[in-house]
Amino acid sequence: MFIVQRERGYLDPAGVRYLAKRLRLRYTDIWEVATFYSMIQTKPVGRYHIQICKTLSCKIHGRGENYRFMCVNVLALSLARPQLTGSFTVSMVECLGSCGTAPMFQVNFDYHENLTPERVDKIFDSLTEPSRDFFC
Ligand code: FES
């Protein structure tokens, strides 16, 4: 799935059909796995895919209001940087397995933890740098 995603940008229906045939599985077998895990994209995403954890630990460690502020900050900061316009996708996802350093989000495959509004700002500053591979 990662290889197809890397080659095509996301796991599209043609990619799912290819995998099903190649692995001798049903189309729905591939699709069920693809749609379960947040690291597999079934729709096109921007150059920077920001996945914000929306599960309990991140909300608790983010102390409710702070967590909401952080989420809004992510959106506001991304919109405030014209150089990033059209190059990012923001998704709310289930636990990313980094509960001890919550609140956190993931940009492509990089984790950013113990987030504060200031740290979010610095992360967005780093996104303006020239290209990084989608896959590490
Ligand atoms: S609850 Fe956010 S990483 Fe687990």
Side-chain angles (χ1 to χ4, degrees):
M1 286 185 198
F2 272 119
I3 293 169
V4 171
Q5 182 171 267
R6 185 183 62 214
E7 296 297 319
R8 305 174 77 91
Y10 68 105
L11 187 58
D12 62 351
V16 174
R17 276 193 297 278
Y18 168 79
L19 288 173
K21 184 176 178 184
R22 180 81 192 230
L23 300 172
R24 297 183 186 162
L25 295 170
R26 294 176 302 167
Y27 181 93
T28 52
D29 294 332
I30 304 295
W31 191 249
E32 284 172 355
V33 175
T35 55
F36 182 80
Y37 294 103
S38 60
M39 73 277 276
I40 301 295
Q41 307 309 315
T42 55
K43 294 179 181 165
V45 295
R47 182 168 149 216
Y48 300 109
H49 187 196
I50 302 155
Q51 298 182 82
I52 303 172
C53 175
K54 65 176 181 180
T55 311
L56 190 61
S57 291
C58 280
K59 288 186 176 175
I60 290 172
H61 287 284
R63 291 180 190 80
E65 285 304 312
N66 194 24
Y67 177 78
R68 277 189 286 279
F69 180 78
M70 185 201 70
C71 294
V72 169
N73 220 20
V74 167
L75 294 172
L77 289 169
S78 57
L79 292 172
R81 287 171 166 78
Q83 64 273 36
L84 292 178
T85 301
S87 63
F88 68 92
T89 302
V90 178
S91 308
M92 302 296 287
V93 297
E94 298 297 336
C95 180
L96 290 167
S98 188
C99 317
T101 53
M104 61 84 65
F105 64 61
Q106 182 176 356
V107 180
N108 296 342
F109 283 94
D110 294 334
Y111 274 23
H112 299 280
E113 302 158 305
N114 298 309
L115 291 173
T116 62
E118 296 76 26
R119 286 178 59 95
V120 170
D121 200 24
K122 283 186 182 165
I123 292 162
F124 272 83
D125 283 341
S126 74
L127 297 184
T128 61
E129 293 170 4
S131 75
R132 296 167 47 200
D133 280 342
F134 187 76
F135 291 91
C136 300

